[in-house]
Amino acid sequence: MKNLTHQKIANVLASNGYLSERVLNVLRASTVYCLDLSSSMNNEGGLNLSGQDVLRVLDQPHSFRFLSELCLSGTSLRDSDLVHIQRLSNLRKLLLESTGIGNEAIFLLTGLKQTLTHLYLAFNPKINNDAIPVLEIFLSLSFLSLFDTGIDMSGLRRLALVICKDNRVVDIEIPVCCEEYIDNLQSKYMINPRAPLIVDSSVCAQLSEAALARNLAAHAKFNTAIVASGTKIEMIERLVKILETREMDLVVRDMLWGDQDGIP
């Protein structure tokens, strides 16, 4: 018994789904660093009756001051339930996979933006691009799981640009559709144009019609959907969009794979 710690007690109770509201109230002033509430908030077989009520204990003053990891994965949460974890000032790792939460829940996590280093949001399709402006401000994140969320390339590009600008390194798990897109960039446009072809979208308006057509034709060799003709204004707009998309896509690729300079 001399080696029995508060953490070991919490682990045993968690594995059996016994972390009810009453039990958490007993433990809330103890030195517990990790809590897994998944089984205790699961009503399977009618054994656990507390449901979301257990989260209210976390919201009490001076509760679980040492807690650095909280797992709620697989539980059924309302977005508003996450208001109860904002007092966990030492929380570093938060697992919210398959909880049914949406964008509002992410907004309610902003109180943890300075401390969270690992955030697991996978398998929550209601989280979409509208959550990106909030995720951008979590400056301490080193790991972010967005797998099987509603976030697409548009949102991922925005997030990657901010991370790159801040010189941060974040390991990100992305949705399958985004992964497939990045894996197949060579079918979207010419990845590495060489002179006299251009890569700077800001100079498109200065090109002649022949030069515009030449640039578009080069990209069309990789993507037959690209039209290499039209009026000068149409070709400028088309080439600008291609080059801007290319630039942002490469930022995403470098964020995911590391610096790919010189690699086609």
Side-chain angles (χ1 to χ4, degrees):
M1 293 291 290
K2 65 179 181 180
N3 294 322
L4 194 62
T5 64
H6 294 142
Q7 183 62 65
K8 289 181 179 179
I9 294 172
N11 290 346
V12 172
L13 294 173
S15 64
N16 290 281
Y18 295 151
L19 291 176
S20 64
E21 185 177 5
R22 179 178 297 179
V23 172
L24 284 178
N25 266 307
V26 173
L27 291 173
R28 72 185 187 89
S30 61
T31 52
V32 173
Y33 303 97
C34 176
L35 273 182
D36 186 344
L37 298 179
S38 297
S39 296
S40 300
M41 293 179 62
N42 187 332
N43 292 320
E44 184 177 354
L47 297 178
N48 303 302
L49 304 178
S50 296
Q52 283 80 10
D53 290 343
V54 300
L55 296 180
R56 297 176 183 173
V57 180
L58 305 180
D59 199 21
Q60 296 182 36
H62 310 300
S63 285
F64 295 99
R65 290 179 296 171
F66 302 96
L67 192 66
S68 63
E69 179 177 338
L70 176 62
C71 179
L72 298 170
S73 294
T75 65
S76 180
L77 296 176
R78 301 163 297 188
D79 286 2
S80 59
D81 291 326
L82 294 187
V83 73
H84 298 302
I85 69 173
Q86 295 189 81
R87 291 181 184 268
L88 301 175
S89 59
N90 286 310
L91 196 63
R92 302 289 186 270
K93 187 174 183 179
L94 179 59
L95 293 86
L96 295 169
E97 298 167 306
S98 301
T99 51
I101 59 173
N103 297 328
E104 183 182 346
I106 309 304
F107 281 82
L108 291 174
L109 294 178
T110 54
L112 305 172
K113 65 182 180 180
Q114 299 295 336
T115 61
L116 279 185
T117 60
H118 292 69
L119 181 57
Y120 295 74
L121 300 174
F123 307 107
N124 288 302
K126 290 193 288 186
I127 296 175
N128 58 36
N129 293 341
D130 290 338
I132 293 297
V134 184
L135 293 174
E136 290 174 0
I137 67 175
F138 284 78
L139 301 180
S140 298
L141 281 184
S142 59
F143 177 85
L144 175 62
S145 178
L146 299 174
F147 184 79
D148 209 10
T149 62
I151 291 172
D152 59 22
M153 279 303 301
S154 177
L156 195 58
R157 290 184 187 113
R158 173 170 176 170
L159 181 61
L161 287 172
V162 172
I163 289 175
C164 178
K165 180 181 178 182
D166 294 341
N167 292 314
R168 289 187 274 151
V169 177
V170 184
D171 183 10
I172 300 184
E173 292 181 347
I174 62 175
V176 171
C177 62
C178 297
E179 185 174 353
E180 291 176 345
Y181 180 95
I182 294 297
D183 287 344
N184 292 282
L185 288 185
Q186 71 280 358
S187 67
K188 311 299 180 184
Y189 39 69
M190 178 183 284
I191 296 178
N192 291 308
R194 304 296 187 210
L197 302 177
I198 66 169
V199 294
D200 185 355
S201 62
S202 67
V203 303
C204 289
Q206 302 172 25
L207 298 182
S208 65
E209 291 188 35
L212 288 166
R214 184 164 56 248
N215 276 267
L216 289 169
H219 290 288
K221 290 180 180 179
F222 296 85
N223 183 352
T224 57
I226 295 175
V227 177
S229 61
T231 67
K232 185 174 183 178
I233 292 178
E234 290 172 341
M235 289 193 290
I236 290 172
E237 291 177 348
R238 198 175 305 131
L239 186 57
V240 166
K241 183 176 180 179
I242 292 170
L243 295 179
E244 288 180 343
T245 300
R246 169 191 171 276
E247 181 180 8
M248 292 186 291
D249 287 348
L250 294 183
V251 172
V252 174
R253 189 180 73 170
D254 289 350
M255 177 186 71
L256 299 173
W257 298 356
D259 189 358
Q260 298 292 305
D261 188 34
I263 299 177

